Amino acid sequence: MQDLNDIALFAAVVRNNGFSAAARDLNMPKSKLSKHVSRLEEQLGVRLLERSTRKLRMTEIGTVFYEHCQGLLEGVEAAEAEIAAVRAEPTGIVRLGCPFGFTPMLADILPGFHRRYPGVRLLITTTNRRLDLVEERIDVALRAREQLDTDNQLIARQFGTVRQRLAASPTLLARLNGITVDNLAQMPTLSTNEQHTNDTWRLLHTDGTAIEIAHRPIIGCSDFLILERAAIEGMGIALLPDHICERAFRTGVLAPVLQEWTSGDVMVHLVFPSRRGLLPATRALIDYLAENLLTAMARCVEFDPRPAASFDI
């Protein structure tokens, strides 16, 4: 096993095209540098460099050895950077992108993040628009999609899945009476489609049957909190994510509608540009969200949204 220091000094001589320039770059005596390279050649049993008074060039085997050395040294530098990042105390700014539907969940868990990492400051962009992480300088983005983000420039870390459920206020359900999949399109509805006056819900039955409900919503808005409030006020039937329904069903302000019908699975995941070189603060946020969002999502899955006894839906 060769001395890694000797290998690094040999590589420095090659990069600087000579012993004198390398010695100046490394701030060490030229004679000492020459001794290290000579010792490496002696241990390997080959000549790596052809020296003359005016010129230095690598031998054929020296060229091959140098190419392998580069990969080795880069790997060592990357490993040292990773260790330093883990040991460093997370501080600084992290920019997080988040869909509107997850803002209540974030509001619940982020105080705990601040207590654990008081030196980290968060700048949160809430939007349902697909953020360009590089162009918009976003470090981490939380996404909910039917499929994982397949952008090969991004790393995806999946947390789990959620579904959307039909919900309405008990007073609206008492007034409408007898909602079925056949007449759902004629009922007052609320939609996340803010671009068009028509929308289509794709619903999945517990037996695997899939249907599409084309409807004309009275409100179209990409913010689930607005739709939740509108549903609570009795304006219409909304298709809301598990974690919003769970809260509303528990408090009784909303009741399930056609509970055997839901959306398909939506994958909740984080995306970020690269694992290598992640700052400690960014890594801390990713790990914290993975730990706490899973717990919150599990509570939603465990909740059985049975309708109130006084409503036959």
Side-chain angles (χ1 to χ4, degrees):
M1 183 67 68
Q2 307 307 317
D3 189 322
L4 187 60
N5 188 48
D6 289 348
I7 294 174
L9 294 175
F10 161 71
V13 171
V14 174
R15 286 197 308 271
N16 286 277
N17 297 311
F19 284 91
S20 298
R24 288 192 299 271
D25 183 48
L26 298 171
N27 194 27
M28 68 182 298
K30 177 182 175 182
S31 57
K32 185 176 181 180
L33 181 59
S34 180
K35 286 180 181 179
H36 279 281
V37 175
S38 296
R39 183 174 66 182
L40 178 62
E41 290 179 321
E42 183 179 346
Q43 291 174 342
L44 291 172
V46 296
R47 182 170 289 279
L48 301 173
L49 300 171
E50 293 289 355
R51 304 166 178 83
S52 70
T53 56
R54 295 191 308 172
K55 192 174 182 181
L56 179 77
R57 70 175 183 85
M58 283 189 291
T59 62
E60 184 176 347
I61 189 63
T63 301
V64 174
F65 184 71
Y66 175 73
E67 291 175 354
H68 287 288
C69 287
Q70 284 296 93
L72 172 64
L73 294 172
E74 288 174 1
V76 171
E77 289 178 0
E80 289 177 342
E82 292 286 345
I83 292 172
V86 170
R87 294 180 61 185
E89 180 68 23
T91 59
I93 297 172
V94 181
R95 292 174 170 83
L96 170 66
C98 174
F100 287 120
F102 283 89
T103 52
M105 193 179 297
L106 278 182
D108 287 338
I109 66 175
L110 287 184
F113 177 80
H114 175 69
R115 288 191 293 270
R116 187 181 298 183
Y117 304 107
V120 178
R121 292 185 292 159
L122 294 178
L123 298 179
I124 303 174
T125 300
T126 53
T127 177
N128 285 345
R129 176 177 57 84
R130 188 183 187 279
L131 294 168
D132 185 321
L133 272 63
V134 176
E135 187 70 23
E136 301 182 59
R137 298 175 61 211
I138 300 295
D139 299 304
V140 184
L142 180 63
R143 288 181 176 166
R145 302 276 193 275
E146 292 184 359
Q147 295 181 330
L148 286 177
D149 198 307
T150 56
D151 189 329
N152 57 15
Q153 295 181 335
L154 299 176
I155 304 298
R157 181 170 177 178
Q158 184 178 351
F159 295 160
T161 59
V162 296
R163 290 195 171 191
Q164 295 179 344
R165 304 179 186 276
L166 293 166
S169 71
T171 54
L172 178 65
L173 294 179
R175 188 169 75 248
L176 294 177
N177 196 20
I179 301 174
T180 68
V181 291
D182 295 325
N183 64 19
L184 181 58
Q186 283 72 54
M187 300 293 171
T189 58
L190 311 170
S191 169
T192 56
N193 191 335
E194 59 187 16
Q195 301 297 324
H196 305 285
T197 57
N198 296 328
D199 191 20
T200 300
W201 282 335
R202 294 170 178 82
L203 303 177
L204 187 68
H205 194 272
T206 52
D207 65 7
T209 303
I211 61 170
E212 292 189 351
I213 304 293
H215 59 108
R216 290 175 59 85
I218 58 175
I219 291 182
C221 178
S222 60
D223 190 337
F224 281 116
L225 297 185
I226 292 178
L227 297 182
E228 178 196 25
R229 186 63 191 179
I232 291 172
E233 295 297 328
M235 297 180 67
I237 301 168
L239 188 63
L240 300 173
D242 276 333
H243 56 276
I244 292 180
C245 287
E246 181 257 358
R247 176 185 61 194
F249 291 159
R250 286 187 188 277
T251 58
V253 294
L254 291 177
V257 178
L258 302 174
Q259 65 186 66
E260 68 274 15
W261 293 93
T262 66
S263 72
D265 286 337
V266 177
M267 297 183 182
V268 180
H269 56 287
L270 281 179
V271 291
F272 46 96
S274 173
R275 294 184 190 277
R276 178 171 291 184
L278 274 181
L279 293 176
T282 304
R283 187 185 298 276
L285 178 62
I286 291 171
D287 292 341
Y288 185 85
L289 291 177
E291 173 188 346
N292 290 278
L293 280 176
L294 279 172
T295 302
M297 289 161 54
R299 288 200 305 268
C300 297
V301 173
E302 291 168 2
F303 179 57
D304 180 16
R306 286 170 288 189
S310 57
F311 299 108
D312 183 15
I313 302 172

